[in-house]
Amino acid sequence: MSGTGDGGWRTIFEPFRIKSVEPLHFTTVAEREAALERTGYNVFGLAAREVLIDLLTDSGTGAMSAEQWAAIMRGDESYAGAESWERFTAAVTNLTGLAHVIPVHQGRAAERILFAETVKLGDVVPNNTHFDTTRANIEYDRGEALDLPCEAAGDTQAEAPFKGNIDVERLEALLAERALDVPMVFLTVTNNTIGGQPVSMANVREVRALCDRYEIPLFIDAARFAENCWFVIQREEGYADRTPTEVAKELFSYADGVTMSAKKDGLANIGGFLALRDDDLAARCRALLILTEGFPTYGGLAGRDLEAIAQGLEEVLDPEYLRYRVRTAEYLAQRCWDAGVETVRPPGGHAVYLDAGSMVPHLHRDRFPAHAVVVELYRVGGIRAVEVGSVMFGPAATHELVRLALPRRVYTQSHIDYVAEVVAAVRARREQVPGYRITWEPPYLRHFTARFEPIAG
Ligand SMILES: Cc1ncc(COP(=O)(O)O)c(C=O)c1O
C-alpha cells in the first residue's frame, strides 16, 4: 500500500518481501453457516482455522521481521541482568528519555502496577479517552477514569486532522477545581477508543504546560505511538521534514511516564513496559513487579521477547513501514466509500470502522445492525471483524460500528482488495441481512460470549 519514498510512482506496494508463509484456511459458505450456528452467531467463538481473513484485532497479531527472528535466537534467558535486558532497556530509554524501564507481559500489567501505586479512592485520572483496560484498572483501585475527548471526536464524519486530542479547556477546568485529586494526566496515542485518531503535538504541549502549572505528571499510553507520529508528520505544521524517530523523541520528551503494549507498535506478539522518570515511584513499582510479574530485568517476559521488542521499536519508526501502514487503512476506507459504505472519517491508523447504518439501514438498533454486518462479513467471505455498538456497550452505545482491525505486516494489498469486495457484496445484498436477538448473555462484557439468533423479517 506504499508508494516509494522518492515519490512519482503510482504503484503502491508493501515495503517488504516475504520469507516465510502461513497458509490461509478456506471454507465454504455451508461450513461457515454451520460454524455460526454452533457459536450462537458470535464470531469470538470461532476457531481461528475457520477464519479466512482475521481482522479481530491488531494486537499481538503482527508478523515479525527476519531481524526480529534473528534477535530471538540471541535471546539471553539469564534470570538476572541478561544481555537481552540490556538491549531492551537501552532501546526504551533511548526512545523515551526515561531512566526507569519496567518490563511487563503486556500493556494492562503496566497499568495495573502503575495505578496500584498512584490511584486511591476519590482520585480522578483524565485522559483523551481511556482504553477499556486503563479504565478498568483505575476503577479497580477505586479511582475515577474521566474521558475528555475534544469536540470533533464525537462526530464520526468530521474530517478534523487530530480528532484524538484531549479537550484542553475541560482539562484546565478540572485541574483548577480538583488538582489535588489528580495523580496524573494521561494521553492515549493514537486514541484507540474513538477510532485510532491521532493527537497533535500542539495538544501534547498544551497539556504539558497545564501539568507544569499544577505540578501533575503527564503519562502517555504509547500503544500506537509510531502511527501517531506519522500522522503528526503528515498533518501538523512544522513536522513535514522530521523523521518519525525525531517526532517520537519529542513526543516522549513531554512525558513523565509511559505505559506501553508492545503488541501494537512494539511489533511483537507479546510484551510491554512501564517507563518512569521518578526514582521513588519506580522503586515502588519494581517491588510490585517482583510480586506479580517477575524480576525487574525480565518482568513477565522471556529474554527472546525482550529482544523482539527492542528490535520492533526500531523497525516501527521506519518511514516506509509507516507510510504503508497508514496508507492501508486509507486505501481500505476509500474502497468502502466507493461501494457506498460509510466509515469513521478520517480513517485512523490501525483499523477501518464501518458505519453499519450505511450498510443495513433497515435494521433498527434493537436488532443489533453492526452485529448483523459482522455475521454477514463472515458468512459471505470468511472475514472476522468486531462489533463496536449496542452489543458491546448496551444502551450507552453512541454509534453502530464494525471494526476491521489491521494486523501489522500480515496481509497484502490483494487481501485488502478481497476484504473491500466482501464489504461491497454485503452492502449489495443488504435487504437480505437479518437482525439479531440475544438468546443468552453473561453478566459482564457480553460481546465476548453472548449467543444470538437471527430474526426473520
Ligand atoms: C490504547 C491501548 N492501551 C492499552 C492496551 C492494553 O494492552 P494489552 O492488550 O497489551 O494489555 C490496549 C490494547 O488494545 C490499547 O489499545
Side-chain angles (χ1 to χ4, degrees):
M1 316 295 135
S2 165
T4 54
D6 58 358
W9 299 101
R10 287 180 54 83
T11 309
I12 51 177
F13 54 84
E14 294 75 16
F16 48 80
R17 56 184 184 177
I18 296 165
K19 191 190 283 290
S20 174
V21 298
E22 191 181 3
L24 292 175
H25 304 284
F26 291 85
T27 50
T28 63
V29 173
E31 286 168 337
R32 294 196 292 273
E33 283 179 345
L36 284 168
E37 240 177 85
R38 190 192 79 236
T39 60
Y41 296 87
N42 188 334
V43 295
F44 280 101
L46 296 168
R49 94 184 86 77
E50 292 172 314
V51 177
L52 182 61
I53 306 278
D54 206 342
L55 306 183
L56 195 63
T57 177
D58 67 318
S59 178
T61 52
M64 284 200 289
S65 67
E67 283 306 318
Q68 282 178 297
W69 285 110
I72 277 174
M73 288 307 295
R74 287 193 294 270
D76 174 357
E77 305 302 342
S78 305
Y79 189 91
E83 277 180 49
S84 300
W85 157 250
E86 286 175 15
R87 180 150 187 243
F88 175 83
T89 193
V92 175
T93 295
N94 179 38
L95 180 65
T96 63
L98 298 168
H100 300 288
V101 180
I102 295 177
V104 292
H105 77 277
Q106 61 182 82
R108 68 198 68 183
E111 294 164 358
R112 183 183 55 75
I113 289 170
L114 174 66
F115 298 135
E117 287 302 325
T118 53
V119 172
K120 60 180 187 328
L121 183 67
D123 284 351
V124 52
V125 181
N127 199 331
N128 45 355
T129 315
H130 288 278
F131 180 68
D132 322 15
T133 59
T134 324
R135 167 177 296 283
N137 274 295
I138 291 167
E139 290 174 353
Y140 184 77
D141 292 309
R142 299 182 299 160
E144 182 192 348
L146 181 67
D147 290 338
L148 296 175
C150 68
E151 210 178 311
D155 178 357
T156 61
Q157 298 306 298
E159 283 282 357
F162 291 105
K163 285 167 87 171
N165 282 356
I166 197 168
D167 185 327
V168 175
E169 266 179 41
R170 285 167 69 203
L171 177 64
E172 185 161 12
L174 172 78
L175 298 183
E177 202 182 313
R178 299 183 57 187
L180 292 177
D181 299 332
V182 180
M184 77 266 291
V185 175
F186 246 85
L187 282 175
T188 302
V189 304
T190 58
N191 189 336
N192 180 7
T193 309
I194 64 144
Q197 299 291 330
V199 176
S200 71
M201 200 67 89
N203 193 244
V204 181
R205 271 195 299 267
E206 278 184 277
V207 174
R208 177 72 256 176
L210 273 180
C211 287
D212 284 342
R213 174 135 51 99
Y214 288 93
E215 296 184 359
I216 294 173
L218 172 59
F219 274 71
I220 292 180
D221 175 342
R224 298 178 181 82
F225 75 96
E227 290 167 12
N228 200 94
C229 291
W230 187 252
F231 283 119
V232 166
I233 291 168
Q234 300 302 301
R235 298 180 185 172
E236 193 161 353
E237 219 187 308
Y239 287 91
D241 296 329
R242 306 274 291 276
T243 67
T245 303
E246 286 166 354
V247 178
K249 287 187 174 181
E250 180 182 341
L251 171 71
F252 289 124
S253 74
Y254 302 122
D256 298 296
V258 170
T259 56
M260 174 75 185
S261 168
K263 299 171 74 174
K264 285 84 167 172
D265 277 354
L267 295 180
N269 300 120
I270 195 71
F273 59 81
L274 171 63
L276 299 166
R277 190 183 305 290
D278 185 277
D279 299 341
D280 175 58
L281 178 59
R284 287 187 282 131
C285 289
R286 273 200 195 98
L288 197 52
L289 181 84
I290 295 178
L291 197 65
T292 58
E293 291 274 311
F295 190 73
T297 63
Y298 71 85
L301 298 170
R304 54 181 168 270
D305 299 325
L306 298 171
E307 292 279 353
I309 297 167
Q311 178 65 27
L313 287 174
E314 224 173 89
E315 290 178 12
V316 78
L317 289 164
D318 172 6
E320 292 304 334
Y321 161 76
L322 285 168
R323 180 179 285 112
Y324 139 84
R325 173 70 181 157
V326 166
R327 177 68 191 138
T328 306
E330 282 168 7
Y331 177 82
L332 177 56
Q334 183 64 56
R335 294 286 310 264
C336 294
W337 302 335
D338 293 347
V341 174
E342 262 318 322
T343 70
V344 171
R345 289 178 184 249
H350 69 287
V352 171
Y353 292 70
L354 308 178
D355 172 14
S358 71
M359 289 186 81
V360 286
H362 62 293
L363 293 182
H364 185 260
R365 270 220 146 146
D366 61 7
R367 301 268 159 120
F368 302 125
H371 179 77
V373 171
V374 167
V375 172
E376 222 50 28
L377 290 172
Y378 178 69
R379 186 205 313 276
V380 170
I383 294 165
R384 178 153 65 173
V386 182
E387 193 260 14
V388 183
S390 295
V391 176
M392 191 178 271
F393 298 120
T398 50
H399 305 289
E400 299 293 335
L401 302 174
V402 174
R403 185 179 86 165
L404 304 173
L406 300 162
R408 293 170 179 77
R409 306 191 292 202
V410 169
Y411 295 117
T412 65
Q413 184 174 347
S414 44
H415 295 120
I416 299 297
D417 284 335
Y418 172 76
V419 172
E421 195 180 337
V422 173
V423 169
V426 169
R427 181 170 191 273
R429 65 196 292 279
R430 58 191 177 277
E431 267 89 37
Q432 294 152 50
V433 176
Y436 286 81
R437 80 161 64 90
I438 293 179
T439 58
W440 178 85
E441 61 180 298
Y444 309 108
L445 299 173
R446 67 178 179 178
H447 54 288
F448 289 120
T449 53
R451 295 182 70 84
F452 301 81
E453 68 183 14
I455 308 172

